Amino acid sequence: MCIVSPARQADNNGNWRTADRWKAHLQPVADVEVRQAWDGQPVDMLIALHARRSAPSIERFHQIMPGRPIVLVLTGTDVYRDIDADPEAQRSLVLADRIICLQPLALRRLDAPLQAKAISVVQGAEPLRNTRADGPARFVAVGHLRAEKDPLTLMRAVRRLPRGVEVLHIGAALDESFAAAAQATMRDCPDYRWTGAMDHQLVREKVASATALVHMSRLEGGANVVIEAIVSATPVLASHIDGNVGLLGEGYGGYFPVGDDEALAALMLRCVPQPDLVASLAAQCALLAPEYTAAAEGERLRALVTGCLVQT
C-alpha cells in the first residue's frame, strides 16, 4: 500500500510523523511506502493525508485503480477550513471509501453520509518518563511558526510575564514575519527563547521536563505533541478548540480562549505559585494516557485497513 503525505521528512511536522509512524504500524500486515504523491505504481490500497493537498493522488488512483480502497485522513486544515469551501477537498471526501479523523469531535464536521464511512483513530505515543524538576517554571510550546499555530498569542503572553518564568518556543518559522516577531520577543524578554526546529526526540525530552506544554493553535486536527505531553503526564495549557478538546476532554482544567494572550499569561502564572494546579492537570493527563498508547493506535489502524481489504 502507499501512504501519501504532502509533508516531507525534512518538514519535520505532524503530518510527516503520522505517515512515518503509520508505516511502522502497518508493516506487520502490508508492504508500505510513504510518498508525497502516488506515482502510478499498482498498490492494493491508498492512504492519503490531507483532502486538498492529496486530491490529485486520490483522483488519479480512483481513475487508474477503480475498486481498490482509498482511505482519507483529515488534517486540521481539512476539517476546519478546506472541506467547507474547497472543491478538491470535497471531491476527496466523496471518493474516499473510509475517512479517518484524528480526534472524535472532528466527526461532527461531516454530514451523515460521510459520517457513515468515517472513524476516529486517535494518535498514540510511547510514554516518556516525566523529568520535571524543582526550580524556575519553564513552559514549552511546540509547532512551526505559522498562522494556524498562532505563535503571536504566546509572544504577546510572554510580554505579560514577570522575570524568572522561562518559555521555550520550538519550531521552524514558515513565515518571516513570525521569525522577526520571535527575535524581537527574545530581545525584549530574556526568559523567552525561540530555538527554531529541533530533533523530535529532543523535543520530547523538553516537553517531558516542562512545567507545562503551551498549545495555542487556532486550528488543529489533533496534535501529536499534545498526545506526547499526555503520555508523559506533562500538563497542557491549550486553546479551547475542538482539536484540543477532542483529545483532552471538555472537563479538562487547562484551557484558555483562542487568541487571548491575557488569559494565557494568567493561566501560566497560576501554574507558578500553585503547584497543586500543575499536579491536578498532570493527574488529568495521566488518566487519559492509557487511551493514547502507540499499541492502541496501531491496533485500530490495522483493523481498519484489514477490513477495507477484506471488503474489496
Side-chain angles (χ1 to χ4, degrees):
M1 65 182 61
C2 179
I3 300 176
V4 169
S5 170
R8 304 162 301 164
Q9 184 174 6
D11 294 326
N12 190 30
N13 64 15
N15 284 344
W16 162 258
R17 286 195 290 274
T18 296
D20 188 54
R21 193 174 63 255
W22 283 14
K23 176 181 177 179
H25 285 323
L26 292 172
Q27 279 179 326
V29 297
D31 207 4
V32 188
E33 291 186 341
V34 177
R35 298 185 178 277
Q36 280 189 272
W38 181 58
D39 60 4
Q41 292 296 314
V43 291
D44 296 306
M45 175 184 291
L46 181 73
I47 299 176
L49 279 75
H50 210 298
R52 176 179 59 81
R53 295 178 65 192
S54 293
S57 291
I58 293 170
E59 184 70 52
R60 190 176 180 212
F61 189 84
H62 172 72
Q63 296 295 333
I64 297 175
M65 296 284 167
R68 298 194 182 185
I70 298 170
V71 177
L72 172 63
V73 186
L74 295 181
T75 67
T77 51
D78 286 330
V79 176
Y80 298 107
R81 187 175 67 200
D82 292 344
I83 63 173
D84 289 333
D86 186 89
E88 288 189 321
Q90 292 166 348
R91 172 70 172 164
S92 294
L93 290 171
V94 172
L95 294 181
D97 296 284
R98 297 301 302 271
I99 297 169
I100 294 178
C101 297
L102 299 179
Q103 46 85 12
L105 295 188
L107 296 169
R108 304 189 307 194
R109 298 280 296 162
L110 304 174
D111 60 26
L114 294 176
Q115 283 190 19
K117 59 181 181 180
I119 187 173
S120 171
V121 177
V122 295
Q123 300 177 87
E126 295 293 344
L128 192 64
R129 186 173 65 85
N130 187 288
T131 57
R132 190 165 54 247
D134 294 335
R138 186 171 65 81
F139 298 91
V140 175
V142 179
H144 292 330
L145 276 58
R146 56 191 179 102
E148 292 84 356
K149 299 292 184 180
D150 198 14
L152 297 181
T153 289
L154 177 64
M155 295 178 205
R156 292 194 303 269
V158 164
R159 295 176 180 275
R160 297 177 177 273
L161 300 175
R163 288 298 307 271
V165 180
E166 299 177 3
V167 178
L168 183 67
H169 198 169
I170 302 170
L174 304 188
D175 183 316
E176 284 304 313
S177 67
F178 292 140
Q183 289 161 351
T185 305
M186 282 195 290
R187 286 195 302 269
D188 297 340
C189 306
D191 293 314
Y192 168 86
R193 183 163 67 95
W194 169 52
T195 67
M198 188 180 287
D199 175 77
H200 182 226
Q201 184 58 32
L202 185 55
V203 171
R204 291 217 59 193
E205 292 169 4
K206 297 294 186 185
V207 170
S209 64
T211 302
L213 172 75
V214 182
H215 197 67
M216 310 80 62
S217 287
R218 292 179 173 273
L219 182 154
E220 193 72 68
N224 195 241
V225 70
V226 172
I227 301 289
E228 291 169 347
I230 289 171
V231 300
S232 294
T234 296
V236 183
L237 308 183
S239 53
H240 195 275
I241 59 172
D242 277 4
N244 291 330
V245 177
L247 298 179
L248 291 160
E250 189 61 63
Y252 182 72
Y255 295 122
F256 61 92
V258 176
D260 190 335
D261 55 281
E262 184 176 4
L264 172 56
L267 188 57
M268 294 167 77
L269 286 175
R270 283 181 59 204
C271 291
V272 176
Q274 296 185 39
D276 288 350
L277 175 61
V278 174
S280 172
L281 296 178
Q284 290 179 66
C285 289
L287 288 174
L288 293 168
E291 301 178 32
Y292 299 134
T293 65
E297 179 189 31
E299 288 173 9
R300 286 190 291 265
L301 189 60
R302 287 189 294 272
L304 181 143
V305 163
T306 303
C308 285
L309 292 174
V310 167
Q311 292 169 12
T312 57

